[in-house]
Amino acid sequence: MTASKYNGFPELRSEYPLLPEQIQAYERDGHLILRGLANEDEIGIYRNVINELVQEHNNQTKPLEERDTYGKAFIQIGNIWMMSDAVRQFVLARRFAKAAADLMGVPSVRIYHDQALFKEPGGGHTPWHQDQIYWPLDTDKTITMWMPLVPVPQEVGSMTFASASHKHGYISKQEISDESHRTLKDYIEGKGLETVDYGAMAAGDATFHAGWTLHSAPGNPTERMREVMTIIYIADGLTIAEPDSNARKNDMAQWFPGLRPGDAAASPINPIVYP
């Protein structure tokens, strides 16, 4: 793949204005949907190159029935923005980054990393979890954008979120597993937290959720791949925390290469994307 092949892709610089009530809803619930954050034409152009990279870098060879719960949940390829100038333009897009900054109420954001999450036909559910148990950061200024590249029908739907669970902070160190699903489902029910999903989504719609927001996703009973791109943003100016788990140690090495606890969370692969 050559850089020149992808010249002329949409820059995604225009703003998506947020209403005060949308920001308030995100602060209250820890999640929000923004319909039409990217339009059909924009997504159609980027989808092809993202799809190509996922196929090229997918090393999953086991059939679904032979995988564990995590393996059945999705094909997962990270930092694909570093593999293609076109995807770089998508992941580092100012439009998406400004929405993330506005929702978090911060003046500037960096990329933590991206992930393509493709749920195969017949793929399993994604267990309840908190993203930030993996991240060596002691902050509430983290957010994930989850954007389908294809229409997602009602029977697949958006992720399911436990509203206001982000206010509970670090609930459990359990990584994504059957155990995390059981434990956190019991926690949600015990605390009486409302669960919300946004149903069918168009390509280019996007949900945003805080790093501590509990969330899960249903399986894919359809015959079509659920193609999703995620981008994780962090506020600029954060400091790397001392990892308190192997998951966080591994993430520090992978996503903050060459950095140590106490350093600024700002390696060369965590560029500022807004402003």
Side-chain angles (χ1 to χ4, degrees):
M1 295 184 183
T2 62
S4 61
K5 181 179 177 182
Y6 302 113
N7 289 342
F9 275 59
E11 291 189 6
L12 303 170
R13 289 189 58 81
S14 60
E15 293 189 11
Y16 184 104
L18 296 181
L19 300 173
E21 50 265 38
Q22 290 177 304
I23 296 172
Q24 291 164 7
Y26 175 79
E27 292 172 347
R28 180 189 68 234
D29 298 331
H31 58 85
L32 184 77
I33 190 165
L34 299 181
R35 301 282 184 184
L37 185 58
N39 66 43
E40 184 178 350
D41 291 341
E42 291 166 338
I43 289 298
I45 292 170
Y46 280 107
R47 180 197 169 219
N48 292 332
V49 65
I50 293 170
N51 219 302
E52 187 178 335
L53 286 170
V54 170
Q55 292 180 40
E56 182 181 340
H57 293 274
N58 176 26
N59 296 319
Q60 181 61 265
T61 57
K62 289 184 178 180
L64 271 170
E65 60 272 16
E66 295 180 13
R67 303 180 207 167
D68 62 13
T69 298
Y70 191 98
K72 290 175 182 176
F74 36 62
I75 298 167
Q76 182 177 26
I77 312 293
N79 264 10
I80 68 172
W81 72 271
M82 300 179 70
M83 304 173 190
S84 155
D85 281 359
V87 182
R88 177 187 180 92
Q89 192 159 280
F90 181 88
V91 172
L92 307 190
R94 186 180 190 277
R95 185 190 304 165
F96 305 157
K98 184 180 188 304
D102 288 349
L103 290 172
M104 288 194 289
V106 300
S108 181
V109 294
R110 293 179 178 271
I111 292 291
Y112 182 39
H113 62 84
D114 69 32
Q115 288 182 324
L117 299 177
F118 281 32
K119 194 179 287 284
E120 296 154 281
H125 75 122
T126 306
W128 284 106
H129 65 283
Q130 293 176 296
D131 292 339
Q132 203 162 323
I133 68 158
Y134 292 94
W135 307 341
L137 297 165
D138 184 14
T139 179
D140 62 354
K141 300 302 183 186
T142 64
I143 193 169
T144 297
M145 184 188 84
W146 190 94
M147 178 180 283
L149 306 176
V150 294
V152 176
Q154 179 73 34
E155 58 266 39
V156 177
S158 75
M159 289 187 291
T160 302
F161 303 97
S163 292
S165 57
H166 64 307
K167 297 178 181 178
H168 297 221
Y170 204 154
I171 295 170
S172 170
K173 292 183 181 180
Q174 290 178 330
E175 298 179 35
I176 299 173
S177 62
D178 292 332
E179 184 180 0
S180 79
H181 192 71
R182 287 191 297 269
T183 301
L184 294 173
K185 184 174 182 290
D186 289 345
Y187 181 89
I188 290 164
E189 292 172 354
K191 296 292 184 181
L193 298 177
E194 179 186 14
T195 58
V196 174
D197 76 78
Y198 294 104
M201 295 177 67
D205 290 347
T207 61
F208 285 79
H209 66 272
W212 290 127
T213 300
L214 286 165
H215 58 288
S216 65
N220 180 5
T222 74
E223 295 181 356
R224 184 172 187 181
M225 184 81 79
R226 189 213 70 183
E227 303 171 18
V228 167
M229 268 300 293
T230 65
I231 307 171
I232 302 163
Y233 301 91
I234 60 175
D236 183 32
L238 300 182
T239 299
I240 298 173
E242 183 71 46
D244 58 358
S245 66
N246 286 332
R248 286 185 159 189
K249 288 177 183 176
N250 293 337
D251 253 39
M252 184 175 69
Q254 185 169 9
W255 309 120
F256 293 132
L259 301 184
R260 301 170 59 84
D263 289 343
S267 85
I269 67 170
N270 314 116
I272 291 176
V273 285
Y274 179 80

